[in-house]
Structures are given as C-alpha cells and as structure tokens.
Amino acid sequence: MPVTLVSMPWQSLEGPSLPLGILRAVATRAGLPKPEIYPAYLRWAEFLMARTGEEINPHDYRGIAEGGIFDGVGDWVFAGVLHRDPGFGVSGLTAHAAARGIDVTQALRMREHAADFIDLAVKEILETEPTIVGFSTTFMQNVPSLAAAQRLKELAPEVTVVFGGGNCDGPMGAALHRNFRFVDFVVSGEAEDAFPALLRALGGDGDLAAVPGLVWRDSGDVQRRNQQGTAISPGRLAIPDFADYYERLAVSPAAAYVEPCLFLETARGCWWGEKHHCTFCGLNGTAMAFRALPADAVLDQVTTLVKRHQVLDIWMVDNIIDNAFFTSVLPRLAELDWDLRIHYEVKANLKPADLAALHAGHVRQIQPGIESLVSSVLGLMDKGVSGTHNVRTLRDGEATGLTVIWNWLYGFPGETPSAYEPVLSQLPALVHLQPPIGVARICLERFSPHFDNPALGFPERHPAAHYQYLYALSEEELTDLVYMFDTPHAGLSVEQAAPLRDRCDSWLADYNDSWLHRHDDGDAIVIEDRRKGWPERDHRIEGVWRAAYLELENGHTVQGLHRRLAAQAHDVAPASLTAWVAELKRNGLVFEESNRFVTLAVPSDPVKMEKA
Amino acid sequence: MYELPPDQLRGAGLAGLTFTRVRLTEPLRPGDGLEDLRLLVAATSHVVRLTWTLDGQPDLPVDRLCHLIPPVSGTGSAARAYAKEWSSLHRYGCFHYRQGPGFVIVKDLRPGADARRMRIEDEDASGFLRMAVTSHAGELDPATRDMLADAETFGLVLRAGDSHLVLPHRIRHFPIPAWAA
Ligand code: SF4
C-alpha cells in the first residue's frame, strides 16, 4: 500500500519535516513499506523563484513562515485555491494587515501563483502512485494542505487522504474532518502508534475503531472519534528518517538561500508545565507529560544524523531541555570535536555552570522563556522565576557567548502600568545585554490555562479575526477548528504598552554598540562602562565592596547581602550597604526588582554583530 | 587589557585568551611571509580581542583578508589607508570553516567574492585539517602536500616558499546572534 507523506508550506526551508521523518521511521520499524516524502514547501519556494525570476525568493518565504503566523498570512496565500475563488479573503485580510501594520505585498504576489502550484504539487504527488496521502499540518500548513488535498481528491478520488499534526490535536482534528469531506481520516495526538495501526487497518489488518486518536466516518457516514492514545514513552521515540532531503536541497535553486539545519527532538512535553502550566502557553497541546530520550539515544541520534547528512546546525524542537541532560548529554556532546551549532529551549533559572555546560556541549543559542522582567507579571504567568533571575540569565548568557532569544509578553489579566514603571526606568542600564526580539500582547491559545479557565481573565473569546479570511465557516465551527482566539485586551492598554515598546526599540538599536565589561584582578573589580546613553567611565571596586559585588552577582536583597557578607566575616553596616547599592543603581551597574539587586557587568567580550 | 609583543602572544597559546583584550606592543607585517597572518588567523579563531597596528601593505587585496581581526591603524599613510579599508570591510566569521565527522564546511561571505558554501569530504577533509594545523610542507604527508596547489587555487591556502597557511579560520565561537555567521 504505497504511502506518500506531504509537508506543505510553511515548514522551515532549512530542514526536512521532522514529523514526516518520524512517521517514515516508525512505519519502517513496524515492518511497513517506507513512505515517500514529498517536501512541497521546498517545491513551493523553487516554484516561486522560477515563476518570478527570483523576485520572490526564499527570503520572502521565510518572511511569511516566521512573521505571518499570528495573522495566518501563509494560510491566506492558499485560501483562494481552497475556496476556488481567487478573491477569497483578499480585501478582508488586506485591511486586517493594514490595521496591524503588516506588509502583505509579497503574500499577495504569491497568491497569484498558488493555484498553479497546487496543480503542480498534486501532479507530482500522484506521480509517486500513492494509495494513501498523508498531510502533516502545524500552524500555517492547514489551508495549503486542505487546498492540495481537495485537488488531489478531484483528480484521484480513490486515494485516501489522511491529516495529522499539531493542527489536528483535540477538537481541532474532528472539526477539520467534519468541515472538509475530502479528508478521509484525521489522526489526533501523537502518531507513533496510530500511524502504523492506521496503515494496517486500511490494509485490512486491524480495526479502524482501534486506531488511537483516529477521526473517521463509519459505514453510515457518521463521524467517529477514537480516544487519543496515551503519551508515547521515550523508548518508542524513533530516530527520524529524513530520506534524501539534503541531497535534494543541495541541487535546489533555493540552496543558495538556505543554510541546512537538522530539526531534532530529544524530549516531548514540558516538565515545568506538568507542575505549573504557564498561563498563556498552549504549545504542548494535549501532551504535557514530559518524556526525554535516554542520553545514549540522544547521542546516537545526533551523531548518526550529523554523519549521515553532513549538517552541523541542529535545532532542537523540545519545548524545554531535560535537566538531566546537563550531566548526561551535554558533557558527552562536549567531547565531540565538531563545530556544531545547537539551539535548545531551556528554563530561565540557569546558573553560570549550567550555561557553561550548554556552551561546552556546542549549544550556541538558547530560548530560556524569559517573557518579562517584571516579577509580578512573571507571577501572573506562573513562570516560577523573578525579574532578577531573568536579568541574571541575560547577563550570564552574554558572558558565555550564548545567543539568548526571548520575547517580552504583556497583556496579562491583573498587570498594571505601575508594576512596569520601576523596570522600564532601568532598561537603559541593560542595553549591553541581549534585547527581546519582540514585544507582543499575549494571544489566547487553545490548550493554555487562560483558554481552559475563563476565570483567569479571558471569559470572552472569539476565533482570531484573521480566520474569517481563511475559512468560510461559522464562528461555532471555527471555535473548534482554530488555535488562536481574540479577546478584549487585559492588562496594559495599547497606550500603556507604548513606553515598553519604545524602550525595547531603543535597546535593540543600541545593543551592538554597548559594553559593560568587568575585570577582576583579585584585588579590585574594574568595570568599564561603554554603554550607549551612559557616560564613558571606569569604576573601581575594592576591598569589602569587591566581596559585596561578587556576592551581588547572584542576586540578593540588601538584607540577604548583609547576611552573606557577615558569614564571610565582613563587617559592613546595613546603612552603608544600602547606600552603596543605591550608588551602583544610580550608575546603572545593578538592576533592582522587588527589592532584589543583581549586577549587570559582563566578565567577557563576546562578538556581537548585525544579522546577515 | 594585556600588553604583549607579538612573539609572546604567538607563544602564549591563544585558546586561553578567548574574549580577552590584548594590545600588541609592536606592529604586525602581514605582508611579509605568513607568520603574522597566521597569528591573526589564530587570534580570530579564538576571539582574542586584539588591538594591533599594520606595518607595510600586504600584496593581497584587502577583501581577501577582511575576515581577520583588522588593525586599528597603520604606520604610514598607505598602511593607514589599507588598515582603514580592512576595518570597514571586516565582518567576523565571513570566511571560516567548521569541522565535522569526515567533512569540513567552508563558508565564504567576503565582499567581492561570490558567496559560497563549500563542503570538503573524506580524504580531502582530513588533508585540509592537516594543512590547517601545520605551517610547512615538510609537515605534510605526500598526498596532502599534493593538495596544496589545489587548495591555493580555490583561495583556501596561501603559500610563501615552503610555508602554507589555511586562510579561513576555524570558527570556535559563534557571534551573537549565533546564526549571523
Ligand atoms: S511556556 Fe515553556 S515552560 Fe511554560 S508551560 Fe509552555 S513549554 Fe512549559
């Protein structure tokens, strides 16, 4: 039973589809024929380049893939094809984008080519002579996948169409199946067990009713929904089989624009979210249970795939690194004399030794879920960290030479401008540390505590406005189908958030030219201040104050600092300590939040540069 | 900031000086032989924050060297002009290599050249890496010695007499943001 698995735009061009690589591996492991993989997203980038003489190129693709998610711009490019109406949603989303300050010029140009591309992609899929075609759909892959599936069914009604992926989790899968009849089956939830079971059942060996998470139609054409399976155990996570993606990319005209990357998964779910689900986060869908690969399996996966595909950049898609990896995996990665560049998501309360372990293990970029520097707002999120923790992570990440990616989120029910003010006034002192890549109002996401519990502050919600320009469905159906919801604003108003945006814009503009460097010669700490907006100045800190400064690198209240110094037999009057810390703060050498202080100078000079 | 003569830095083992600021007390002459260029390749690779002055003017167009830590000034007007251009063209990591198991990836984004990403595999990769850690042809086995001419043609190696230098530096430290190099 030949199977072709398809990944439509807007999967990242930098690598193969991880879900399809996993499905191919589990099918093979189950003794089933190897599915073909059709990377339609790469073909789309190539198609646009050829059609437009590279006026539309992979940079434009990336602009939509990375920047269009919260407004469904990528889905919208294919909405005209899905609805067989080239004008579908055009005026609506164009006006929506204008109001949100989003440029959709290139997306509009891409729409002109979408129908021809769907015809081409379906033709090429059918050339693989499949009996079953599976679409993996996450975020903006829904409309392009539906458009292709619809065309496929028109041309080859005998082919079975299966959907799976993040967009099919929970009620979304059933809604998709209900509203798009050309989709024969939807797999909701993790598919490692369901996919082989479905293939067997379709081959006459097994019962559709026994396939975990399957949404299907019975002989009476009534929709049936099997219960989603339990979370896949770590031992059943497979090494993905990326087939010939990299060979294909190497000869693609898109290759000139793409630096290939491996997308790997070493853990699933979130150990923090199991205990304290961050209130805004819907990322884990219905599978919060944390499962990590054993260290040997991580090493096996990394070394096998790096050798096989000769790619040194690795983007770990885990929502959070397993704490055990600091002692089990990273030291073993550190032993590899390879110039890897790894991205990992981590928790923000890392110690310098943890950051050093990451760096030694070839991790070069972390996403520590910083989200805010205001402790009371972090409390509203149930983040389990304080503003000073987060600043310390920014400082120590900088010192270690790690890129620290973070977004500043606001709009939490209960937050007030007065909570932000003391932090905003100190942002100029942080200008030498890595700024947020964006400042954004939180969005109500399905599966988040905010969504599941209206009492947390978002009782009124509607499918996000852009979905009406993607689907011709009632609000009731959209409510089941979609991931993002609009709500009346909570927390800061647009005007109240303006100073935060302005300060972060300045931070971003001045970061590359700002340094606050500290050198400790054992007798004294010398801090060289070369930050934009601050007078060029060197500070010398000696004697007991040197000891106090070194303690303050960990973050303390003045009382806590006093206790620590007393334990080291340093006798400093509390009033002197208070005055000294206040002086440091006046000079922008410490950050204060909720009565805790943390130092800001960085003991090394990593290379900062503009993104190419 | 340490102040050191070039020879002392050469002998210091640059790995221990990563992110450290060092001012060279004597100018470098990267136009004379390969040894001063070798020091710059090593310092760039280990991200030693070098402050140095250019003496003389290398024969090479400045855009071939602009991946290396630039001089802050020059000892005469021609050297100063060269130093200024070097500094203006410098972009960290714009010509580097990365080592993997059985392969090497070279990335060249220097201005004036076509951007390229080259993968060197198998024996060629081990030969390239051998060239990168040696400085004289006599240190190479015959097969690797035979590769020198090709490597020079591809702009990967400079040669002077029986000395050679792999011109791209190994990227041991990525910049912030890490994907900018
Ligand atoms: S935001 Fe991150 S840490 Fe919080 S629940 Fe989501 S995945 Fe876990």
Side-chain angles (χ1 to χ4, degrees):
Chain A
M1 188 175 284
V3 178
T4 298
L5 299 173
V6 181
S7 182
M8 293 297 288
W10 301 87
Q11 140 91 32
S12 164
L13 291 175
E14 273 65 27
S17 161
L18 178 61
L20 298 191
I22 290 172
L23 291 184
R24 189 167 145 112
V26 296
T28 316
R29 186 170 66 189
L32 295 159
K34 231 175 218 193
E36 286 284 326
I37 292 183
Y38 180 71
Y41 59 102
L42 179 60
R43 293 292 290 124
W44 172 234
E46 293 167 349
F47 184 81
L48 289 171
M49 290 172 75
R51 268 294 178 90
T52 65
E54 296 194 29
E55 278 184 25
I56 301 180
N57 61 45
H59 294 314
D60 303 300
Y61 179 106
R62 211 171 280 126
I64 291 177
E66 293 171 7
I69 291 180
F70 287 96
D71 298 282
V73 178
D75 278 305
W76 176 70
V77 168
F78 292 91
V81 190
L82 174 62
H83 299 286
R84 298 190 181 90
D85 170 7
F88 186 89
V90 169
S91 57
L93 199 120
T94 308
H96 167 89
R100 302 243 303 131
I102 299 162
D103 182 1
V104 290
T105 315
Q106 288 301 66
L108 264 173
R109 293 193 60 203
M110 289 181 188
R111 273 185 74 116
E112 294 166 21
H113 306 289
D116 288 347
F117 172 71
I118 291 294
D119 283 347
L120 173 80
V122 169
K123 179 175 151 285
E124 291 183 350
I125 292 166
L126 289 174
E127 281 168 5
T128 64
E129 300 182 356
T131 308
I132 298 167
V133 174
F135 290 86
S136 166
T137 168
T138 304
F139 291 119
M140 295 188 296
Q141 289 177 304
N142 233 25
V143 174
S145 298
L146 288 167
Q150 177 176 254
R151 185 78 183 118
L152 188 93
K153 266 305 212 205
E154 282 167 6
L155 295 179
E158 71 285 1
V159 172
T160 301
V161 169
V162 184
F163 270 49
N167 288 339
C168 302
D169 204 0
M172 298 187 292
L176 194 142
H177 185 256
R178 186 162 68 236
N179 286 291
F180 299 97
R181 286 199 56 85
F182 48 83
V183 178
D184 299 305
F185 298 98
V186 168
V187 175
S188 287
E190 297 176 331
E192 274 92 343
D193 290 337
F195 181 62
L198 174 62
L199 296 188
R200 283 206 190 88
L202 290 174
D205 174 17
D207 185 357
L208 290 174
V211 177
L214 189 70
V215 187
W216 51 292
R217 296 179 188 93
D218 65 15
S219 53
D221 203 27
V222 175
Q223 187 187 68
R224 301 277 300 275
R225 293 172 63 179
N226 301 347
Q227 197 173 3
Q228 285 188 205
T230 49
I232 301 297
S233 65
R236 296 194 50 70
L237 300 175
I239 293 189
D241 176 350
F242 293 135
D244 60 352
Y245 175 82
Y246 295 99
E247 289 78 0
R248 205 165 171 158
L249 177 64
V251 295
S252 165
Y257 297 84
V258 171
E259 185 141 24
C261 187
L262 280 166
F263 294 103
L264 300 183
E265 183 184 44
T266 57
R268 212 176 268 181
C270 175
W271 53 261
W272 174 255
E274 281 180 304
K275 296 177 286 198
H276 299 269
H277 192 168
C278 303
T279 54
F280 60 90
C281 171
L283 278 182
N284 294 283
T286 55
M288 182 65 84
F290 185 70
R291 295 141 286 159
L293 288 179
D296 285 346
V298 176
L299 265 293
D300 186 27
Q301 182 162 176
V302 168
T303 53
T304 301
L305 294 175
V306 166
K307 284 178 188 162
R308 183 181 298 161
H309 300 298
Q310 300 194 329
V311 170
L312 291 167
D313 290 337
I314 304 178
W315 196 283
M316 299 298 188
V317 302
D318 311 12
N319 284 333
I320 192 164
I321 194 171
D322 184 357
N323 276 337
F325 286 3
F326 284 93
T327 49
S328 63
V329 169
L330 294 171
R332 291 174 65 188
L333 286 175
E335 287 167 13
L336 300 173
D337 190 20
W338 305 344
D339 300 319
L340 298 169
R341 175 167 52 180
I342 301 176
H343 164 98
Y344 249 122
E345 296 196 20
V346 299
K347 189 92 174 68
N349 55 354
L350 296 174
K351 303 263 181 341
D354 300 326
L355 293 162
L358 286 163
H359 193 269
H362 303 287
V363 175
R364 296 292 177 259
Q365 178 168 284
I366 56 171
Q367 190 165 338
I370 285 180
E371 267 96 49
S372 180
L373 304 181
V374 182
S375 291
S376 60
V377 178
L378 290 162
L380 291 170
M381 299 181 204
D382 213 359
K383 266 280 163 193
V385 288
S386 66
T388 46
H389 274 130
N390 285 346
V391 168
R392 197 180 69 184
T393 297
L394 288 176
R395 182 200 65 197
D396 295 340
E398 185 89 7
T400 317
L402 287 166
T403 299
V404 181
I405 297 186
W406 66 289
N407 276 291
W408 194 312
L409 301 180
Y410 68 93
F412 291 86
E415 69 182 7
T416 59
S418 61
Y420 279 78
E421 274 160 18
V423 171
L424 293 192
S425 64
Q426 295 181 81
L427 293 192
L430 308 184
V431 64
H432 61 297
L433 304 179
Q434 293 170 64
I437 56 170
V439 177
R441 179 177 294 284
I442 50 161
C443 154
L444 183 65
E445 296 177 2
R446 185 186 296 283
F447 305 120
S448 67
H450 279 156
F451 183 83
D452 291 340
N453 183 1
L456 288 179
F458 295 106
E460 189 185 333
R461 71 274 301 273
H462 304 280
H466 66 264
Y467 288 116
Q468 63 190 295
Y469 313 122
L470 311 182
Y471 303 104
L473 295 174
S474 67
E475 173 157 344
E476 199 182 354
E477 287 299 332
L478 282 180
T479 299
D480 281 350
L481 181 74
V482 305
Y483 181 69
M484 288 178 272
F485 292 81
D486 285 343
T487 62
H489 287 176
L492 300 188
S493 66
V494 173
E495 297 73 32
Q496 287 166 339
L500 171 64
R501 289 179 179 284
D502 292 346
R503 291 279 164 117
C504 289
D505 285 348
S506 306
W507 186 353
L508 190 61
D510 292 341
Y511 163 71
N512 274 347
D513 301 318
S514 294
W515 303 92
L516 184 67
H517 181 259
R518 81 120 167 101
H519 172 70
D520 181 11
D521 65 12
D523 294 327
I525 287 169
V526 177
I527 298 176
E528 294 170 20
D529 192 348
R530 304 291 182 272
R531 288 172 294 182
K532 293 266 268 203
W534 294 82
E536 184 174 322
R537 196 174 157 186
D538 291 352
H539 303 265
R540 197 175 164 81
I541 300 173
E542 299 174 280
V544 66
W545 303 117
R546 175 180 166 276
Y549 184 92
L550 292 174
E551 268 303 331
L552 215 48
E553 291 195 327
N554 300 318
H556 288 296
T557 59
V558 172
Q559 294 77 9
L561 179 60
H562 184 255
R563 276 195 300 275
R564 303 292 296 210
L565 288 174
Q568 294 171 34
H570 292 300
D571 184 17
V572 188
S576 306
L577 212 47
T578 303
W580 177 74
V581 170
E583 176 69 10
L584 289 181
K585 189 178 172 197
R586 258 194 306 283
N587 289 323
L589 302 181
V590 292
F591 173 79
E592 179 191 7
E593 223 273 319
S594 303
N595 296 322
R596 291 179 75 83
F597 295 83
V598 66
T599 64
L600 295 176
V602 178
S604 68
D605 279 353
V607 180
K608 304 177 182 189
M609 57 198 284
E610 300 288 333
K611 210 168 173 185
Chain B
M1 171 80 83
Y2 295 98
E3 308 234 333
L4 296 174
D7 282 344
Q8 201 174 329
L9 179 63
R10 257 187 272 274
L14 283 85
L17 292 173
T18 293
F19 298 156
T20 305
R21 298 179 196 181
V22 175
R23 185 194 305 278
L24 292 184
T25 52
E26 293 158 25
L28 294 179
R29 295 187 59 84
D32 285 358
L34 298 178
E35 292 321 298
D36 284 354
L37 275 178
R38 194 180 312 285
L39 181 65
L40 291 174
V41 169
T44 307
S45 179
H46 288 288
V47 194
V48 180
R49 305 306 225 148
L50 209 57
T51 302
W52 67 280
T53 303
L54 173 68
D55 191 17
Q57 193 178 352
D59 285 339
L60 289 168
V62 68
D63 56 17
R64 288 195 64 193
L65 300 180
C66 66
H67 60 296
L68 304 175
I69 305 171
V72 289
S73 186
T75 51
S77 61
R80 270 197 297 280
Y82 195 97
K84 193 171 173 200
E85 198 181 353
W86 187 334
S87 186
S88 73
L89 293 179
H90 174 68
R91 184 176 165 85
Y92 174 76
C94 69
F95 189 30
H96 70 256
Y97 74 86
R98 293 166 72 182
Q99 172 175 322
F103 67 95
V104 169
I105 293 171
V106 181
K107 193 167 171 185
D108 187 359
L109 299 175
R110 288 171 299 172
D114 282 345
R116 58 184 178 151
R117 203 170 166 278
M118 197 188 306
R119 190 157 51 200
I120 306 171
E121 297 174 50
D122 305 325
E123 300 81 45
D124 290 346
S126 45
F128 176 89
L129 294 173
R130 185 81 198 124
M131 289 180 222
V133 295
T134 52
S135 51
H136 290 89
E139 298 169 82
L140 302 174
D141 58 84
T144 308
R145 226 172 7 243
D146 288 346
M147 291 178 194
L148 277 171
D150 275 353
E152 187 178 23
T153 307
F154 280 113
L156 297 174
V157 161
L158 296 179
R159 291 209 283 174
D162 77 337
S163 292
H164 63 266
L165 170 70
V166 166
L167 193 53
H169 63 88
R170 181 174 180 186
I171 194 155
R172 293 181 160 86
H173 300 274
F174 285 88
I176 295 172
W179 259 261

